[in-house]
Amino acid sequence: MGYQLVQIVTLLTVIAFGGALRKVRGECNSDDLEGLMAFKNGIQMDTSGRLAKWIGRSCCEWEGVVCDNATTRVTQILLPGLNEKDFVQTQMVGQLSPSMTLLTSLEILDLGGLAGLSGAIPQTIGLQMPKLQKLYLYGNNLTGPVPESIGDFPNLQELALHENRISGSIPSSLGSLRKLKRLLLYSNQISGTIPFSLGSLTNLVELDVHDNALMGHIPNSIGQMLSLEKLDLSSNMLSGSIPSSITNLTAISVLYFDTNYLEGTIPFPSRPGEMPSLSFLRLHNNHLSGNIPPSFGYLVSLQRVSLSNNKLEGALPSSLGNLHSLTELYLSDNSFSGQIPKSIGQLSQLIMLNISNNLIQWPLPQEMSSLQNLQTLDLSFNPLNLSSIPPWLTSMSSLSRLYLAACGIKGQIPDSLQTTQSPIQELDLSGNLLSGPIPSWLGSFSQLYLLNLSSNSLELHIPDSLTNLPDLGVLDLHSNKLTGSITGVFNTSQQGTSGGSLTYIDLSDNNFSSGVEAIGVGEQLNIQHLNLSHNLLKGTLPGSLGRLNSIHSLDLSFNELASNLPEVLAKLTLLENLKLQSNHFSGNIPNGFLKLRKLKELDLSDNVLEGEIPKGKPLIDFPGSTYSGNKGLCGKPLSPCKL
């Protein structure tokens, strides 16, 4: 009976005072209220509508504000720009108020991805918010430096300031944040050096400072950050060598040092067990030298490796075959020599292999035919002297992109290529010694997007089958001995094909003599680059040329085209490059050319044009050489016209 009486009394108390309890729980500490209202008043626009509901003094009930039930102090401000529930992106435009530091009990501040939030991070933020654990200000428009006081957060675990316009240097005080797990400063304007003190962050899991202006050497202390799983220092101006201490990072999985000025040799592991979890390694676009040692094979977890565009040399080690998890390998633009090791056939997971622009020699190991998951193979610009395309390439069931430019291939394009087991999407055989006709069976490659047969000695005409490929976007046949008409390239709406896919056409440096009347007639209206220069084309430019309203570059120079310049050229308002020199164009330059506001390069020289050059930009901004060789032209930038 006594226990039941206590329950009844308790229930009556809750009923009687429940409203008051809720009111106390919702009321704001005066400092917190002042800080929140200062933030709200600094925002001119909030597309989410959340701040409009911040009315009265009960801030603990406001959207995005979380309070401690016991103290009623504000502990969290959660106002991210992206709502993860419905993936709606919102924006706030205004200034970050320095009065935010009045919220001294704050543990989480999330103002990330608001896009329009500007101002600077308060200089005293670390001194006035001692309980802060997570600070998210990424994806805004913040300027100024990272305050030195940020190192005074004793409990800070995550600091995300990426994708702003923050400048200055990385404060050395960050080394005091012993609980810090994530430090994200990428895509800012931060300069100076990487502080040696960062080596003290032994709990740090992720450090990302890519896309800044950092200079100097990578500190050797970086090898002390034993919890580090991701380290991204790419796209800066770092110099010197990669510290050997990097091999101490036993937890590292992602290591990106690419696009800097690093030099010296790469400190690969010296024994098994070093860097056992390294999966993604990017060192491209540096000045690294030396060779790839056999110990490279100790990195058994590697999945993607990019060492392109360095000064690496020597033979590729057979230990490459130990990297059974490897899916992508980029070694282009170095000085690797010798032969591709036979062990490469053991990389059964390999999807991408790029060894272009090296000194690799024949023979190619037939073991490469075992790479049944390989989708892209680029061996271009190596002294392979292949003579012909290896027949075993056709048995690779996943190969869809094949680049064999300047590999010394001779004779006709081999018919064996048409028996390939995979649907070829990109084929580059440029810069070889190919002769004979373009085979009509190339038209059976129904998924072909890119075809580059340029800089060979191919003859006869373009086969009709080639011009009916529905997905062909890039057609490069320049510098051959092709003849006949170009009509078929533009009439691609036949035989039920979708047409309109071609965006890049280069037929220059051939012997084509007819077909200009077809330009713009078919469905190829998405063309952005068209080069027909250095041919024997005759006739007049058709009015249908004006339908190519996506074109950026048009080169018809060094042909035998005649008549007036068509007015419809003025419709091509996206044109940046227009070359019509060394033809037989006559008459005046149309006034409509003044509409070509995006023109960066114009050449009308060596024609029979006459009259005054239309006055105005962009025509008057080009040098006199643009119009030279036209005896009848006058006006700026040439000599004034005679009255």
Side-chain angles (χ1 to χ4, degrees), residues 568-627:
V568 293
L569 282 173
K571 295 183 179 181
L572 309 181
T573 54
L574 297 180
L575 264 180
E576 298 178 5
N577 301 285
L578 177 59
K579 297 182 179 181
L580 302 175
Q581 73 267 28
S582 297
N583 279 283
H584 305 302
F585 292 116
S586 57
N588 297 332
I589 299 174
N591 284 320
F593 275 32
L594 295 173
K595 298 178 182 178
L596 303 177
R597 296 289 187 179
K598 295 192 175 183
L599 269 186
K600 298 176 182 177
E601 186 175 6
L602 174 67
D603 198 335
L604 303 176
S605 63
D606 298 317
N607 280 287
V608 202
L609 299 171
E610 59 186 10
E612 185 175 14
I613 298 171
K615 298 177 180 178
K617 295 177 177 293
L619 299 187
I620 63 172
D621 291 336
F622 292 107
S625 58
T626 295
Y627 308 102

Side-chain angles (χ1 to χ4, degrees), residues 91-336:
Q91 182 181 8
M92 288 187 187
V93 176
Q95 292 275 323
L96 178 64
S97 172
S99 296
M100 292 288 290
T101 55
L102 292 171
L103 296 144
T104 55
S105 294
L106 207 59
E107 297 174 5
I108 300 176
L109 176 58
D110 187 353
L111 301 175
L114 296 173
L117 189 62
S118 57
I121 303 171
Q123 287 298 307
T124 58
I125 189 169
L127 300 172
Q128 295 177 275
M129 293 179 159
K131 297 184 179 181
L132 202 64
Q133 298 175 21
K134 298 179 181 180
L135 177 58
Y136 304 135
L137 296 174
Y138 63 88
N140 285 299
N141 199 26
L142 298 175
T143 55
V146 179
E148 190 74 29
S149 69
I150 260 202
D152 292 315
F153 286 122
N155 300 304
L156 196 64
Q157 298 174 21
E158 298 189 10
L159 178 60
L161 305 179
H162 52 282
E163 296 176 345
N164 280 286
R165 292 192 295 136
I166 294 170
S167 57
S169 59
I170 300 175
S172 58
S173 62
L174 285 177
S176 302
L177 302 175
R178 300 305 171 89
K179 295 184 179 180
L180 197 64
K181 294 183 178 179
R182 284 185 171 80
L183 176 56
L184 309 178
L185 302 175
Y186 63 85
S187 297
N188 278 291
Q189 299 168 11
I190 299 172
S191 57
T193 60
I194 299 174
F196 188 87
S197 61
L198 291 190
S200 301
L201 302 178
T202 53
N203 288 309
L204 200 67
V205 173
E206 182 177 0
L207 172 59
D208 193 340
V209 295
H210 81 264
D211 192 20
N212 278 289
L214 294 168
M215 303 177 71
H217 293 192
I218 300 173
N220 195 56
S221 62
I222 214 135
Q224 302 170 17
M225 305 164 78
L226 299 183
S227 299
L228 209 55
E229 297 176 5
K230 179 179 179 180
L231 175 58
D232 191 346
L233 309 180
S234 63
S235 298
N236 280 286
M237 295 184 285
L238 298 170
S239 58
S241 59
I242 300 174
S244 58
S245 64
I246 207 80
T247 58
N248 296 335
L249 301 180
T250 53
I252 197 75
S253 173
V254 178
L255 187 60
Y256 295 161
F257 287 174
D258 58 278
T259 318
N260 280 288
Y261 299 99
L262 299 173
E263 55 190 16
T265 59
I266 303 171
F268 290 110
S270 58
R271 58 183 181 275
E274 289 184 332
M275 307 177 83
S277 302
L278 186 61
S279 300
F280 305 97
L281 175 63
R282 291 194 334 212
L283 301 176
H284 58 268
N285 296 340
N286 279 291
H287 303 309
L288 298 169
S289 57
N291 57 16
I292 300 179
S295 59
F296 187 50
Y298 293 150
L299 298 172
V300 292
S301 296
L302 278 177
Q303 297 178 37
R304 297 179 186 171
V305 179
S306 179
L307 306 178
S308 298
N309 197 22
N310 279 290
K311 299 178 180 179
L312 300 171
E313 58 187 4
L316 301 178
S318 60
S319 62
L320 276 176
N322 298 339
L323 308 179
H324 298 297
S325 299
L326 201 62
T327 59
E328 299 177 29
L329 179 59
Y330 303 88
L331 301 174
S332 63
D333 295 282
N334 280 288
S335 296
F336 292 120

Side-chain angles (χ1 to χ4, degrees), residues 17-34:
F17 297 101
L21 287 173
R22 284 195 297 273
K23 183 177 180 181
V24 170
R25 192 160 51 246
E27 279 192 359
C28 229
N29 172 276
S30 59
D31 285 342
D32 291 348
L33 182 61
E34 182 180 347

Side-chain angles (χ1 to χ4, degrees), residues 349-613:
Q349 303 301 313
L350 201 62
I351 295 173
M352 156 70 79
L353 176 60
N354 188 342
I355 316 181
S356 62
N357 287 283
N358 278 287
L359 302 172
I360 300 296
Q361 299 173 350
W362 175 264
L364 294 178
Q366 190 164 346
E367 286 80 2
M368 291 179 69
S369 62
S370 301
L371 303 177
Q372 292 301 310
N373 285 311
L374 194 67
Q375 298 175 11
T376 301
L377 175 61
D378 192 346
L379 302 176
S380 300
F381 301 100
N382 279 288
L384 287 169
N385 296 320
L386 286 180
S387 295
S388 63
I389 298 174
W392 49 260
L393 277 173
T394 61
S395 67
M396 302 175 74
S397 57
S398 298
L399 192 64
S400 59
R401 296 174 180 86
L402 177 60
Y403 307 97
L404 296 174
C407 287
I409 305 172
K410 302 174 183 176
Q412 297 190 9
I413 299 174
D415 290 340
S416 60
L417 198 59
Q418 67 179 307
T419 62
T420 179
Q421 295 186 18
S422 59
I424 296 295
Q425 297 174 4
E426 298 186 11
L427 178 62
D428 186 351
L429 300 177
S430 63
N432 282 292
L433 303 170
L434 295 170
S435 57
I438 298 174
S440 59
W441 51 258
L442 280 173
S444 65
F445 287 2
S446 59
Q447 296 186 29
L448 194 64
Y449 169 76
L450 178 148
L451 178 62
N452 189 350
L453 302 176
S454 64
S455 300
N456 281 288
S457 297
L458 297 170
E459 301 170 333
L460 301 179
H461 61 278
I462 302 174
D464 292 339
S465 61
L466 196 65
T467 60
N468 290 314
L469 292 169
D471 297 325
L472 191 64
V474 177
L475 178 62
D476 193 346
L477 304 177
H478 82 263
S479 302
N480 278 287
K481 299 177 181 179
L482 299 170
T483 58
S485 175
I486 61 172
T487 302
V489 174
F490 301 96
N491 292 338
T492 57
S493 57
Q494 303 170 11
Q495 301 182 8
T497 62
S498 60
S501 299
L502 274 168
T503 60
Y504 183 102
I505 302 174
D506 192 344
L507 306 179
S508 63
D509 289 287
N510 279 286
N511 295 312
F512 294 114
S513 56
S514 63
V516 291
E517 67 278 0
I519 301 175
V521 172
E523 295 188 13
Q524 296 298 351
L525 303 181
N526 295 318
I527 297 172
Q528 297 178 20
H529 176 97
L530 176 60
N531 190 347
L532 304 176
S533 67
H534 292 87
N535 277 288
L536 305 172
L537 295 171
K538 300 179 178 65
T540 62
L541 293 181
S544 55
L545 183 63
R547 299 178 64 207
L548 303 181
N549 51 24
S550 297
I551 198 161
H552 290 75
S553 178
L554 176 62
D555 191 346
L556 303 174
S557 62
F558 296 94
N559 279 287
E560 298 176 19
L561 300 170
S563 79
N564 294 344
L565 295 177
E567 286 275 357
V568 293
L569 282 173
K571 295 183 179 181
L572 309 181
T573 54
L574 297 180
L575 264 180
E576 298 178 5
N577 301 285
L578 177 59
K579 297 182 179 181
L580 302 175
Q581 73 267 28
S582 297
N583 279 283
H584 305 302
F585 292 116
S586 57
N588 297 332
I589 299 174
N591 284 320
F593 275 32
L594 295 173
K595 298 178 182 178
L596 303 177
R597 296 289 187 179
K598 295 192 175 183
L599 269 186
K600 298 176 182 177
E601 186 175 6
L602 174 67
D603 198 335
L604 303 176
S605 63
D606 298 317
N607 280 287
V608 202
L609 299 171
E610 59 186 10
E612 185 175 14
I613 298 171

